[in-house]
Amino acid sequence: MSEAGRLIVVSNRLPLGPNPSGGLVVALKDAFHEAGGIWVGTSGRIEARPKQRFDSHPGLAFERFSFDLTQKEHENYYLGYSNSVLWPLFHGRADLMETRPEFLEDYRGVNARLAQMLASELHRDDVIWVQDYHLLPLAQALRDAGVSNRIGFFLHIPFPALYDIMALPNSEEFIGWLGGYDLVGLQTRRDVARLLEVFRSRPDAELLPDGSAKLGEQRIEARSFPVAIDTAAFAREAASAAASRPGVALEPGEQLIMGVDRLDYSKGLPNRFKAFARLLETHAEVNGLVTLLQIAPPTREAVAAYQDIRTELEQLSGQINGAYADLTWTPIRYIHRAVPRARLAGLYRQAAVGLVTPLADGMNLVAKEYVAAQDPDNPGVLILSDFAGAAEQMEDALLVNPFDLDQVAEAMARALKMPKGERCARYDALMDGLLREDINWWSRSYLKALRGVSRGLS
Ligand code: GDG
């Protein structure tokens, strides 16, 4: 173990089970091995009398510290303020925001309770890394409890424009929450620019020459750290999955276009289906020879906006299939269910086109997974929305404006007949970037920056 202080990671959901998987677990494996530490998060249990507990597991390099939520906290902190206020607002959908005083009250309450629990467990040289929008107030709550350790935040979703922040019922308080952190990590340079614009607009904030900001007594560094995947491991998984499992049954000459998204209104699925219909309408030569496979597992079904998007998509896929299907061909295969990861990797490799068209997205890991899964000798083509954070790094994809259905349809037509030489050149360039800036690069660069910040005013 190194001399560095322990790493304390806080995320809404704690990775559970004896052998937890997932992007963040992989990302933090080395860091926990080096420094040891604790991962803190909700237990997934709803209890009338919430408890907190430590557990450790011989295979894990970190201790787990979990806490339960009450039903009311789950509804107000998680479904309410986090997913009915912050999520829509940060994805440019202030119109879908549902604000209620009790949402904010419990959002503050859960963060304050967590800060109290955590403050007494901390050592002086621990560094604390807080993940995502559920926990924005945590640093300020920890500072109120007397914690002076280095505290970093990483936002996985887009940072909103100043104009959008004005739509929050508590916009002043929101900006104050950021003021508890030493380092605010965002997905893209575009997000950093928006954050700096917020600081610039405030009389109590000062932008320092080194690019950081001073808010009250706190110096805050804001930088982009584009989140990534375990590229080499995913490429291996896709190659072995494709070799050992059958993909989708296709007619000779038929090509697959594939999308994978949680069923969320930010992912632009209705636009995608409409753009696919536009392709069928304007390129009769592909009818019968192309299938759109859309995997869209359910998510946050207790929130009304998610029920609406489900109904809209079911109607759209029904209409398009009704208009174009024949006895041997169904243009859209829409699967409202999760598919096991290894299966997904094989399907990505089978697909001639990866279609990633969110209207707003922090990064979008599906874009990275699709490229990593390709056969280097015969790769498919990624079509990627300009509104996904990934577009900032993945310029060799076919970049599209997801609101422009004709442009997306034309990109699909182009991708379906792209010559192998061009596909390989684009794949090589994209894959170079994904191997260089992978998930370990992401966590190492963030933690290096966090351990390097000097506490207090410069
Ligand atoms: C948030 C931000 C940011 C999806 N369906 C299935 C399945 N998935 C996996 C994908 C991918 C992950 O879920 C989705 O990640 P994304 O990045 O695409 O999107 P969000 O869930 O919205 O994530 C996003 C991310 O945080 C990380 O910072 O990139 O912008 O919104 O890994 O493969 N996995 C399996 N079956 C499915 O049906 N096994």
Side-chain angles (χ1 to χ4, degrees), residues 258-265 267 269 272 293-301 306 309-310 313-314 333-341 344 348 366:
M258 183 176 171
V260 181
D261 312 75
R262 286 182 304 97
L263 182 45
D264 193 296
Y265 48 81
K267 303 290 182 182
L269 294 169
R272 187 178 308 172
L293 171 64
Q294 177 62 54
I295 296 168
T299 177
R300 303 172 199 161
E301 286 176 299
Y306 289 79
I309 180 82
R310 178 178 173 177
L313 265 190
E314 280 167 359
R333 295 193 204 182
Y334 165 49
I335 301 181
H336 183 50
R337 219 175 321 113
V339 168
R341 186 182 145 89
L344 202 61
Y348 281 138
V366 169

Side-chain angles (χ1 to χ4, degrees), residues 170-249:
N170 61 323
S171 53
E172 280 294 308
E173 181 182 10
F174 166 79
I175 296 165
W177 288 337
L178 298 171
Y181 292 98
D182 298 295
L183 175 65
V184 175
L186 300 167
Q187 298 272 29
T188 64
R189 296 188 294 276
R190 193 156 56 185
D191 293 305
V192 172
R194 290 203 201 100
L195 174 59
L196 294 181
E197 187 200 355
V198 170
F199 288 144
R200 210 170 283 124
S201 74
R202 296 183 60 93
D204 59 344
E206 185 190 341
L207 289 190
L208 302 173
D210 64 358
S212 61
K214 208 171 90 179
L215 192 64
E217 288 305 302
Q218 177 78 28
R219 182 175 161 278
I220 308 154
E221 217 175 288
R223 281 178 49 188
S224 69
F225 300 89
V227 81
I229 60 166
D230 191 351
T231 312
F234 201 81
R236 280 195 301 274
E237 194 169 348
S240 83
S244 61
R245 285 188 180 78
V248 175

Side-chain angles (χ1 to χ4, degrees), residues 88-98 164 167:
L89 184 74
F90 285 25
H91 288 87
R93 294 299 307 268
D95 59 312
L96 294 179
M97 229 172 37
E98 197 193 330
D164 285 320

Side-chain angles (χ1 to χ4, degrees), residues 246-324:
V248 175
L250 298 174
E251 296 294 320
E254 188 178 352
Q255 289 177 295
L256 196 64
I257 299 182
M258 183 176 171
V260 181
D261 312 75
R262 286 182 304 97
L263 182 45
D264 193 296
Y265 48 81
S266 65
K267 303 290 182 182
L269 294 169
N271 286 40
R272 187 178 308 172
F273 282 15
K274 287 179 195 162
F276 183 66
R278 192 70 56 90
L279 169 77
L280 300 180
E281 186 188 323
T282 55
H283 288 265
E285 74 280 6
V286 302
N287 285 7
L289 290 175
V290 61
T291 294
L292 172 61
L293 171 64
Q294 177 62 54
I295 296 168
T299 177
R300 303 172 199 161
E301 286 176 299
V303 176
Y306 289 79
Q307 294 155 13
D308 296 346
I309 180 82
R310 178 178 173 177
T311 309
E312 186 182 357
L313 265 190
E314 280 167 359
Q315 283 173 355
L316 255 177
S317 58
Q319 276 165 14
I320 298 168
N321 282 338
Y324 289 94

Side-chain angles (χ1 to χ4, degrees), residues 17-18 33 55-62 64:
H33 267 293
D55 84 277
S56 50
H57 210 274
L60 293 180
F62 53 89
R64 285 189 285 216

